[in-house]
Amino acid sequence: SSLVSFLVQSGRAGEPMQRTLWRAGAPCRCAILFWQIWAASADVDFDKCSLFDELRSESVANFTPERYAGTWYEVGVRDESQPAFCTCSRLQWSHNEAAREFRDVVSCLVQDLPIHVPLNGEISSDPQRPSFMREGFGKNLMSNMVLYVETDAAAGPYTAAVVFSCGDLGIPIIGRRFTALQFLSRSKKVDEATMHRMMSFASSRNFSMASMRYQTDMTDCYPNGSGDLAATVIV
């Protein structure tokens, strides 16, 4: 179709054209996201989708949403839905404990233009699996597993986390599988030791990190309130 042809051509043209299209408006942003998912190989680590109990570390045995809530910076990521030109990726996670639900607003910068994608999800009510969640758009939710966390204080907020997401996108015709691996930090600039521990954990669980992208210093991201949700575009 003409749409597929257009997307193929934009993909071949590379990131400069995709940046221009992204700034052109919501329809183009949606088209690029669709292309990113459809064109990428999404089977990496898909066999781990049902292995939460085997993959998680002891650090999440007493996981609580309260300590996970807040702002996270994505210092390492492998995510087929995230264009490579999206930088300064940030998550703003909040929850409703009574309803066991959460909201996750994923943000990134495209040529200093903040883009925000709101996701919703459910928190497991199983006390044996407190860090197992499901996340997505509407009712199409995929597994969202917090497998590893760090903290500076016994009861303080988590300071680092490794998260694995996977599932069937359920898109008609293409029905693509999806996986994502995230290294999260509370700090805009993650220290080398923390990054090494997250990478070592992922490696110990045999996650593929060949196509991971890293941004370990986001000190210059979202200056002067440029990441204000009320002032910028939400896809």
Side-chain angles (χ1 to χ4, degrees):
S1 68
S2 58
L3 174 61
V4 172
S5 176
F6 169 76
L7 292 172
V8 169
Q9 291 302 319
S10 71
R12 289 174 179 168
E15 291 184 20
M17 178 179 286
Q18 290 191 13
R19 289 194 191 99
T20 300
L21 293 171
W22 192 274
R23 295 181 68 91
C28 289
R29 288 194 291 272
C30 291
I32 290 174
L33 284 174
F34 179 89
W35 169 248
Q36 288 289 134
I37 296 170
W38 186 76
S41 172
D43 288 336
V44 179
D45 290 325
F46 195 79
D47 59 330
K48 294 181 172 61
C49 283
S50 61
L51 301 179
F52 171 75
D53 295 317
E54 290 85 350
L55 294 171
R56 63 179 172 176
S57 70
E58 285 298 317
S59 66
V60 297
N62 297 309
F63 176 91
T64 63
E66 291 81 7
R67 299 175 69 186
Y68 187 72
T71 299
W72 290 99
Y73 295 93
E74 199 174 56
V75 293
V77 63
R78 188 198 70 221
D79 183 341
E80 292 85 0
S81 70
Q82 208 174 97
F85 58 81
C86 258
T87 62
C88 297
S89 183
R90 181 187 67 184
L91 286 67
Q92 291 170 291
W93 199 93
S94 59
H95 75 295
N96 180 327
E97 178 63 27
R100 304 299 289 174
E101 296 175 346
F102 69 88
R103 177 179 170 85
D104 185 9
V105 180
V106 181
S107 306
C108 73
L109 296 182
V110 178
Q111 294 184 334
D112 297 324
L113 173 67
I115 305 297
H116 306 294
V117 180
L119 303 172
N120 62 276
E122 303 170 348
I123 305 170
S124 173
S125 57
D126 183 350
Q128 301 302 316
R129 313 178 93 204
S131 67
F132 182 85
M133 297 177 272
R134 293 177 61 77
E135 179 182 77
F137 297 98
K139 295 183 178 181
N140 186 18
L141 305 180
M142 296 177 288
S143 297
N144 183 247
M145 318 174 198
V146 181
L147 301 176
Y148 171 88
V149 293
E150 294 184 2
T151 183
D152 290 335
Y158 300 126
T159 56
V162 176
V163 181
F164 177 57
S165 303
C166 65
D168 192 325
L169 291 171
I171 299 175
I173 302 176
I174 60 174
R176 293 292 293 174
R177 291 175 170 181
F178 173 85
T179 65
L181 182 64
Q182 299 166 296
F183 296 163
L184 305 179
S185 169
R186 293 292 192 186
S187 172
K188 284 187 174 183
K189 186 174 183 179
V190 64
D191 63 87
E192 185 175 336
T194 299
M195 197 69 186
H196 177 73
R197 288 192 297 272
M198 289 192 286
M199 294 178 71
S200 294
F201 170 77
S203 178
S204 73
R205 297 315 194 256
N206 295 314
F207 279 107
S208 173
M209 292 187 284
S211 57
M212 290 283 290
R213 301 195 308 271
Y214 301 97
Q215 188 174 3
T216 57
D217 187 351
M218 301 192 197
T219 306
D220 296 327
C221 295
Y222 305 105
N224 303 319
S226 64
D228 183 357
L229 293 178
T232 53
V233 178
I234 294 182
V235 173

